[in-house]
Amino acid sequence: MSDKIFIVIGVLILICKVFYTIFFGVKGETFEDWAIGYNLAHYGQYAEFINVGPTAYKLPIYPLFLAFFIKLFGEDAHFVIIVVQHIIYFFLPFLLLKIGETFNKRKVGMMAGYLFLCSPAYFFYSNVLEATNIFLLVFMLWVLLFSEIYVASKFTLSKIIGFGILSAIVALTQVVALPIMVFCILLLLFAKKMNIQQLVVFSVIMLMVYSPWVIRNQITFHQLILTKTPKWQNIYHSFTSEANVIDLLKIIPNNVNQDIQEQRRLTDEFYMENLYEDKVIKYMKGHYELTVLKGLQNAVLLWTVPVRYLQDNGVTILLGRKVYVLMLNFFTLWGLMLIYKRSFRLFLFFLIIFMGFTAPYMIGHASNIRFKLDFEWIQFFIVAVFLYYKGLYILDKAQ
């Protein structure tokens, strides 16, 4: 597989994405990050609702990214940000290639890159103004650096500093990555790729970059907020009708949920967290066994499609997500079986990574496709391993 072909296909996909955005007049769906970025750019406040005041509802990297472009481009910021995200996505397959190269599996990395380029979800999602689009970049860079450290015979000071800075940036982008990073860092320690002294330097660098967020929260809210505020909110939402297939799990009445959603625009997240907690405790009383059932349901929804899309059999969702994700999961399982036979340690590594990404949504809710997009690209490596070794097997048989 030629590098030139890889680049040409990447460029063609980029052109198609920009054309899609312009031709269909995509405005870019926005979430809380946009409101925070807008208010930061226009009013100098890190707040979702100006009337409510400062927030720690979202981690800062993506709102800061949005605020930068809103400040510079004003009303044109939507389009500019989408194009910038398309350009970011153009480089992601090359990061997958580099990760494969690190382990002397360049063809596997290139196959993973092609799978990324062919993904319907990743083709579309850079049109959405949401943190996953930046998280993919910083987390892939983190995985690349982790891989280089793991295979290298020497952990240089520059790599320690870069690893510390990048770890903080990832943690300030998506909290779901924290358990995964902790596991990988412990792996470096146990594999003797990092010693205690290096761990201390790494930790100091990471804390230096991360701590301004915690300090800001302490000064603003007079309490320790290490990541972000929503905790009970996610658990509360996981028992609403819109988050569940199984009727037994729909324990929050619709009228109660509607009233609470209306309150959110009028009061701060700390009051709302107490309210969410009270409602969960009230309606969960005597039904604690539902937590297990909900966890199993959410794991299935995360790895297939969320509730809101189950009845949607339009071509875009049916072929672009339902059929696609089932095929991807099928070949991932096949690839994992092949990896299991060749390397139990690598099989266990992938299993722990997937469990690390799945567990938070078993506790909370799995209502959005974007939750899986944070790590779906890892499946591409497993499928690429399967395709690579099956290809070698077929060639060997042919000879």
Side-chain angles (χ1 to χ4, degrees), residues 64-176:
L64 289 171
F65 170 82
L66 294 176
F68 173 79
F69 289 100
I70 294 168
K71 191 75 173 176
L72 282 180
F73 296 99
E75 293 181 0
D76 297 322
H78 268 90
F79 177 73
V80 173
I81 292 166
I82 290 171
V83 172
V84 169
Q85 290 181 169
H86 289 337
I87 293 168
I88 288 171
Y89 272 53
F90 168 76
F91 289 104
L92 298 184
F94 297 95
L95 289 178
L96 299 183
L97 174 61
K98 288 294 293 181
I99 293 167
E101 279 183 346
T102 305
F103 294 98
N104 293 319
K105 298 294 180 187
R106 193 174 194 277
K107 288 183 178 179
V108 169
M110 185 171 280
M111 286 180 187
Y114 275 118
L115 289 170
F116 186 94
L117 288 169
C118 295
S119 166
Y122 288 125
F123 179 91
F124 172 79
Y125 205 73
S126 51
N127 287 286
V128 179
L129 304 185
E130 194 274 327
T132 295
N133 293 303
I134 287 296
F135 175 74
L136 288 170
L137 173 64
V138 295
F139 191 56
M140 282 188 195
L141 286 169
W142 189 90
V143 170
L144 175 60
L145 190 50
F146 165 80
S147 304
E148 289 176 351
I149 291 165
Y150 188 84
V151 300
S153 57
K154 189 177 180 181
F155 195 177
T156 62
L157 180 61
S158 62
K159 273 196 166 57
I160 296 174
I161 294 170
F163 198 46
I165 293 170
L166 200 50
S167 296
I169 292 171
V170 171
L172 288 168
T173 307
Q174 290 278 47
V175 68
V176 72

Side-chain angles (χ1 to χ4, degrees), residues 214-260:
V214 180
I215 294 167
R216 173 263 180 188
N217 292 338
Q218 181 66 46
I219 293 170
T220 305
F221 305 112
H222 308 291
Q223 56 181 288
L224 184 65
I225 302 169
L226 295 176
T227 54
K228 55 182 184 175
T229 47
K231 296 176 182 69
W232 283 101
Q233 181 192 28
N234 292 327
I235 298 171
Y236 165 86
H237 183 70
S238 72
F239 288 107
T240 61
S241 59
E242 59 202 48
N244 292 290
V245 178
I246 302 169
D247 288 336
L248 279 173
L249 297 173
K250 301 173 183 179
I251 61 175
I252 307 289
N254 288 335
N255 62 319
V256 171
N257 186 39
Q258 187 175 352
D259 290 341
I260 285 180

